[in-house]
Amino acid sequence: MIKRSKVPQSRRAEIMGLFQIHADDLPTLSASALLRFLHKDQMEQAATKETVESLIDRYEIDEAAIESRSMTFEGFLRYMESKDCCLFDQTHTSVYQDMEQPLTSYFISSSHNTYLTGDQLVGKSHLDAYVSALRKGCRCLEIDCWDGPDMEPVVYHGYTLTTKILFKDVVATVAQHAFEVSAYPVILSLENHCCQEQQEVMAHYLISILGDKLLKSPLDHPTTGDLPSPNDLKYKILIKNKKLKSQLKAEDRAEGEESADEGEDGDDEEEEVEEDEEEDEGPQTKAKFWSSRKAGSKKKKKKVKVAQALSDLVIYTRSVKFISFSHSQDSQNSYENTSIAEKKARKLIKASAPDFVQHNQRFLSRIYPAGSRTSSTNYSPQEFWNAGAQIVALNFQSLGLPMDLNDGRFQDNGGCGYVLKPEVLMSRERSFDPSSSQHRLKPTQLLLKVISGSNLPLPKSGKALDPFVRVEIHGIPSDSRCKNTQTVKNNSLSPHWDADMNFSISVPELCLVRFCVRDQTSLFRSEFVGQYTLPFTSLKKGYRWVPLRSRDGCSLDPASLFVLVCYC
């Protein structure tokens, strides 16, 4: 049972109204009446007499009511304010999905430039950033590796003023915290700029510090041509990096081998920088910075092959350059994956989204933010999840809508960092185009009533809020929209909206639903108060309370919303 703070009188009154309707004005709710409430109002059709007995045992404390197998209003109130009546389906707080599918079948919680706690130019690099990401369920971490003094590789954002930390300390931190919140595999995505000698030092640290956690050889079971599953790789750490082409003859390698220091998994980041300059999206100072960075990169860069010792540690996550979907279809192996800058990925979706979806059925794709995002802002991950991209990397240190969506997506399936992609993205029989609005003959109708709020946090000024609620649907473009309640004046404790909303959703299994409370500070301006985001597939029907979170994702308990949910 969850203990919650004192319920405002308005919320008590709303719940009392429900109680009286089903109790027929009697002082207690009989077991049969409670079962009717579960079936009719909470739409829990699987509820049985045993369900009701369990609720009475858990939430009723009045001895006479327990004896008569009924529930008083106070017991009913405790039930309505418990996790059993939370908007988020509590069966989804544990791993419940099939974890035996290949890695390509999952969305994987992923971080970009994980070491940074601030921006990409002068921000601090810190080990705590890795701890924080791992504790949020992140399963793909990025490590930018550069030659350091005294043969000690360092981690920082190259050619900038970001601070440096030791590679060996990063590896030790990962080893300590990798499986605190999830048993499923961690992928270390190396952006490797080191000389061969320091790459050998990196390999030594990976082997000696990670020990048995490090996957050093393919799994010992018959292969079907697919990647292993999350279950196969439990408690294992995988290295994502370039790998030597063993089939090349020794005399050809010097000419044909890929460089180890070509930015994000090869040429991709250099291509991205060129795109940024051509499109001239950022301010002049930003363009100048990236221009100088590129010039410095060309000046300092030496062609360096991947060290054999490091290459040997790359098993199922070999980085290769993306050329085209047809090239991947003909030439890419299941254990090879590509990294694509957000702009290039967006162009691919616009030009051939169904091909991108099919590509992501066979291969892992990593999407990363544009180099012009020097302040560590994020794109919306939803547009790339819509195309089935698995490793959609975000700057975890940057707060706001994109990270709210990421947190909402990955609180599903027990917060383990792996969420099974919906069937619409995995079907080999029927192609899927997220940009199309025609997907189902009969869309799902989501009916919401935003009834009230309680205990909303006051701003620093201490002035009572003028709150309203914005409900947002994030999915394929044709499903994405938002609606607002009216504004309630001067009420933080118990605002009442009683606002009905109707959303027509064609691909609900891809959707996230976000409830955002805002304070109307002037006619055209409002400020963030709290939010909660969850997958549509984790929505519980009926009367539910919505826990609110702060901008940094922390609980604002006892702040909450009270809503009625129905969909068909």
Side-chain angles (χ1 to χ4, degrees), residues 432-480:
F432 175 71
D433 184 354
S435 60
S436 169
S437 60
Q438 301 298 320
H439 291 285
R440 285 193 175 88
L441 293 175
K442 186 181 179 184
T444 295
Q445 299 300 317
L446 172 62
L447 307 176
L448 281 175
K449 181 188 283 289
V450 180
I451 301 170
S452 63
S454 68
N455 299 296
L456 302 181
L458 294 173
K460 290 180 181 178
S461 66
K463 178 182 175 292
L465 303 174
D466 292 344
F468 69 92
V469 180
R470 176 174 296 156
V471 180
E472 305 164 359
I473 306 297
H474 296 267
I476 64 169
S478 61
D479 285 342
S480 299

Side-chain angles (χ1 to χ4, degrees), residues 229-245:
S229 71
N231 267 351
D232 292 331
L233 295 166
K234 268 188 171 182
Y235 300 107
K236 288 297 181 184
I237 296 174
L238 283 65
I239 304 303
K240 180 178 176 298
N241 191 62
K242 292 194 178 298
K243 189 174 178 68
L244 289 168
K245 296 178 179 176

Side-chain angles (χ1 to χ4, degrees), residues 239-356:
I239 304 303
K240 180 178 176 298
N241 191 62
K242 292 194 178 298
K243 189 174 178 68
L244 289 168
K245 296 178 179 176
S246 56
Q247 67 270 29
L248 287 178
K249 295 179 181 179
E251 61 269 21
D252 292 334
R253 280 188 181 158
E255 181 180 348
E257 186 50 60
E258 297 160 300
S259 161
D261 65 343
E262 294 179 344
E264 298 256 3
D265 292 349
D267 298 337
D268 291 335
E269 188 171 87
E270 288 184 25
E271 290 179 0
E272 177 203 352
V273 172
E274 289 165 8
E275 285 179 10
D276 290 339
E277 290 176 342
E278 287 169 9
E279 296 178 19
D280 194 27
E281 288 192 346
Q284 190 176 8
T285 52
K286 188 183 292 184
K288 284 181 179 177
F289 171 80
W290 283 102
S291 178
S292 63
R293 182 183 177 198
K294 182 182 172 188
S297 174
K298 285 184 175 179
K299 182 179 178 180
K300 296 178 183 179
K301 183 179 288 187
K302 295 182 292 184
K303 282 286 183 180
V304 180
K305 290 192 295 185
V306 181
Q308 185 70 54
L310 188 59
S311 173
D312 289 345
L313 301 181
V314 179
I315 310 300
Y316 292 118
T317 44
R318 176 188 179 182
S319 302
V320 297
K321 182 180 177 181
F322 177 82
I323 297 173
S324 68
F325 294 131
S326 59
H327 180 272
S328 295
Q329 181 81 15
D330 296 338
S331 307
Q332 191 170 334
N333 295 302
S334 63
Y335 56 83
E336 294 174 326
N337 52 79
T338 54
S339 278
I340 307 173
E342 64 170 287
K343 292 181 183 177
K344 185 172 183 178
R346 206 170 279 126
K347 289 176 181 176
L348 290 171
I349 291 172
K350 186 175 181 180
S352 49
D355 291 335
F356 207 169

